[in-house]
């Protein structure tokens, strides 16, 4: 099954370099913008504006692609990479905070998150050729790449400044573009293969957005819970430098902590297929939601870099378990005509959480410090879990 191995390798490399790009343009956005003279509050506004525009851009892009079938995920991703690379190159040349840097960073964040759900859907698109593509394994390698990238970026930021981070991002975008082009070629070959097991030309019944909402009201309420308990993760993702700095750490410590946290995701992602065979997705989602609270509690109680490392151990059954389970869960409970929208709703939910956290966390950090920011995150996370678990139980019963 040479083609199966080829498609799995292609998708794995896409995830790897997309996660490297994520490390630069999202996780290390604060160090880059701080080096340009931005305050925490202003950084929060920029990140929130990027997430807000993503909430608008994602459904618009999905509708455009639905009405223009010749515009493929490959073309959109390659175009998005070019836009991000050009904007990063210009940002590198500007030394001080400016309106252009603010708008450019908002555009980069918007473009990055807009194509994120397309890459998740790409896994199923490749699998529709009849060659199974393992999402969990590919995402695990992405987490490994993110872990290594965070350590590397922390070292670069501490020793060579923000320009080195931007150069790393541009190089990752170039490789990502090349891999997307190769994957497009391999996908077309696989689709035309004589051993295709699934009829990729079969038309699906189109469901209107209003019908989708009516079918999935309780699921949407569950996503409100997700939005709240994801708040803390969004805060740490955007303001890791400030939070780690609050317990005496530096940029290198920040990079290493992010790296360690990402490495902890690997066992669950690699083993998810086996875990899924033994436990229902709804059970895994409830377990993962509780671990969001436990991790934030441990981070809040941490008083130095070492204990903050220990707090990351809760990551094992937090984000990776929830991510893999929610993708499988949506595909289980929703018909294929609704599943793509279901995945998009989850992405939009986390983006809204990112918007709220970016607007509020920068202000809270500037006014009250990072420790109070973690306390607010913990309280919201508890409320979110109390909403999520009853709703997800009702969704399970309705399906």
């Amino acid at each position: 099954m040479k083609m199966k191995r080829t498609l799995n390798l292609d998708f794995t490399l896409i995830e790897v370099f997309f996660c490297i790009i994520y490390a630069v343009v999202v996780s290390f956005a604060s160090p880059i913008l701080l080096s340009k003279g931005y305050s925490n509050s202003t950084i929060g506004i920029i990140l929130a504006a990027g997430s807000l525009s993503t909430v608008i851009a994602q459904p618009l892009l999905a509708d455009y692609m639905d009405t223009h079938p010749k515009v493929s995920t490959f073309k959109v991703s390659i175009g998005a990479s070019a836009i991000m690379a050009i904007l990063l190159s210009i940002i590198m040349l500007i030394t001080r905070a400016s309106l252009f840097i603010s708008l450019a960073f908002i555009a980069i964040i918007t473009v990055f998150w807009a194509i994120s759900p397309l890459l998740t859907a790409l896994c199923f698109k490749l699998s529709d050729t009849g060659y199974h593509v393992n999402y969990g394994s590919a995402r695990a390698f992405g987490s490994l790449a993110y872990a290594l990238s965070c350590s590397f970026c922390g070292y670069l930021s501490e020793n060579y400044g923000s320009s080195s981070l931007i150069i790393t991002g541009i190089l990752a975008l170039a490789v990502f573009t090349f891999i997307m082009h190769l994957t497009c070629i391999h996908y077309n070959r696989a689709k035309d293969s004589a051993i295709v097991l699934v009829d990729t030309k079969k038309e699906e019944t189109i469901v209107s957005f209003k019908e989708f909402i009516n079918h999935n009201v309780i699921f949407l309420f569950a996503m409100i819970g997700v939005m709240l308990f994801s708040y803390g993760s969004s805060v740490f993702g955007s303001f890791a430098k400030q939070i780690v700095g609050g317990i005496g750490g530096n940029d290198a410590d920040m990079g290493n902590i992010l790296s360690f946290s990402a490495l902890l995701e690997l066992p669950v992602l690699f083993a998810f297929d086996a875990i899924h065979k033994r436990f229902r997705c709804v059970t895994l989602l409830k377990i993962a939601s509780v671990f969001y609270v436990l991790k934030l509690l441990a981070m809040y109680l941490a008083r130095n870099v070492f204990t903050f490392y220990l707090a990351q151990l809760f990551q094992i059954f937090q984000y990776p378990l929830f991510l893999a389970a929610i993708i499988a869960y949506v595909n289980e409970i929703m018909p294929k005509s609704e599943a793509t929208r279901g995945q998009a709703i989850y992405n939009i939910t986390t983006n809204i959480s990112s918007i709220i956290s970016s607007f509020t966390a920068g202000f809270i950090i500037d006014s009250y410090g990072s420790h109070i920011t973690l306390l607010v995150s913990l309280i919201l996370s508890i409320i979110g879990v109390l909403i999520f678990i009853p709703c997800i139980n009702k969704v399970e019963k309705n399906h």
Side-chain angles (χ1 to χ4, degrees):
M1 299 289 282
K2 183 179 179 181
M3 183 55 71
K4 180 179 178 180
R5 288 195 299 270
T6 299
L7 292 178
N8 273 276
L9 177 61
D10 286 341
F11 186 70
T12 298
L13 290 174
I14 287 171
E15 283 290 321
V16 163
F17 282 93
F18 192 70
C19 287
I20 293 173
I21 297 164
Y22 174 75
V24 175
V25 304
V26 178
S27 296
F28 279 80
S30 280
I32 292 173
L33 292 172
L34 284 171
S35 73
K36 303 293 184 182
Y38 285 90
S39 68
N40 291 321
S41 297
T42 307
I43 292 171
I45 291 171
I46 291 171
L47 297 178
S51 298
L52 178 61
S53 57
T54 299
V55 171
I56 300 169
Q58 278 186 349
L60 288 177
L61 179 59
D63 285 343
Y64 179 81
M65 293 184 69
D66 284 342
T67 55
H68 297 78
K70 290 185 179 180
V71 181
S72 67
T73 299
F74 305 107
K75 291 179 180 178
V76 171
S77 299
I78 289 170
S81 298
I83 292 171
M84 287 189 283
I86 291 169
L87 292 175
L88 282 173
S89 299
I90 299 173
I91 288 172
M92 185 171 62
L93 300 176
I94 303 174
T95 57
R96 293 187 176 183
S98 67
L99 179 62
F100 178 84
I101 289 181
S102 301
L103 294 176
F105 234 99
I106 289 170
I108 289 169
I109 293 169
T110 302
V111 171
F112 176 85
W113 285 119
I115 65 171
S116 178
L118 300 184
L119 299 186
T120 301
L122 179 60
C123 175
F124 300 104
K125 183 182 179 73
L126 295 176
S127 293
D128 280 347
T129 61
Y131 301 99
H132 175 65
V133 175
N134 189 325
Y135 176 84
S137 176
R139 187 61 183 78
F141 279 108
S143 291
L144 176 60
Y146 175 77
L148 297 175
S149 298
C150 283
S151 285
F152 182 61
C153 287
Y155 171 79
L156 289 178
S157 180
E158 190 71 18
N159 294 280
Y160 299 103
S162 63
S163 292
S164 60
L165 296 174
I166 295 173
I167 292 171
T168 302
I170 293 170
L171 292 174
L173 284 163
V175 179
F176 177 79
T177 300
F178 176 70
I179 294 168
M180 287 298 296
H181 177 69
L182 281 182
T183 306
C184 180
I185 294 172
H186 296 152
Y187 168 73
N188 288 328
R189 288 177 182 170
K191 191 171 61 172
D192 296 335
S193 171
I195 63 167
V196 169
L197 302 177
V198 179
D199 182 7
T200 58
K201 296 182 180 181
K202 183 179 179 180
E203 294 186 0
E204 292 289 331
T205 302
I206 298 175
V207 177
S208 70
F209 187 70
K210 183 178 179 181
E211 289 175 313
F212 172 80
I213 296 295
N214 290 334
H215 294 166
N216 300 284
V217 173
I218 304 300
F219 177 78
L220 296 178
F221 275 106
M223 289 300 101
I224 294 174
V226 174
M227 179 183 68
L228 291 173
F229 68 65
S230 295
Y231 178 90
S233 294
S234 298
V235 168
F236 186 55
S238 299
F239 295 97
K241 176 183 174 70
Q242 292 86 337
I243 292 172
V244 174
I247 54 171
N250 56 26
D251 282 5
D253 291 321
M254 166 198 164
N256 289 332
I257 288 170
L258 290 173
S259 175
F260 177 63
S261 182
L263 284 173
L264 293 172
E265 297 176 1
L266 299 183
V268 168
L269 289 172
F270 274 122
F272 183 75
D273 281 351
I275 295 171
H276 187 199
K277 290 177 181 178
R278 299 194 54 156
F279 301 96
R280 294 182 305 146
C281 281
V282 68
T283 301
L284 299 175
L285 289 171
K286 288 187 283 188
I287 292 170
S289 69
V290 172
F291 270 82
Y292 272 84
V293 173
L294 294 176
K295 182 183 176 184
L296 277 170
L297 176 61
M299 288 169 63
Y300 173 71
L301 295 175
R303 291 294 181 268
N304 53 52
V305 173
F306 175 72
T307 52
F308 205 82
Y309 267 108
L310 294 180
Q312 304 312 303
L313 292 173
F314 289 100
Q315 180 80 1
I316 296 173
F317 295 109
Q318 185 222 39
Y319 177 73
L321 185 61
F322 193 89
L323 176 66
I326 194 69
I327 290 171
Y329 183 69
V330 167
N331 281 283
E332 285 178 5
I333 67 166
M334 295 183 187
K336 196 171 183 180
S337 56
E338 296 183 9
T340 300
R341 280 199 182 118
Q343 303 290 359
I345 289 295
Y346 168 67
N347 280 281
I348 290 171
T349 298
T350 55
N351 282 328
I352 292 174
S353 181
S354 180
I355 292 167
I356 297 171
S357 66
S358 295
F359 268 126
T360 57
F363 170 77
I364 297 171
I365 289 171
D366 279 341
S367 302
Y368 304 102
S370 59
H371 195 59
I372 296 298
T373 307
L374 288 174
L375 177 60
V376 172
S377 301
L378 176 60
I379 293 170
L380 290 176
S381 185
I382 293 171
I383 296 171
V385 170
L386 292 176
I387 293 172
F388 176 76
I389 291 179
C391 287
I392 209 70
N393 283 333
K394 287 184 180 179
V395 173
E396 181 76 0
K397 288 178 182 178
N398 290 345
H399 288 81

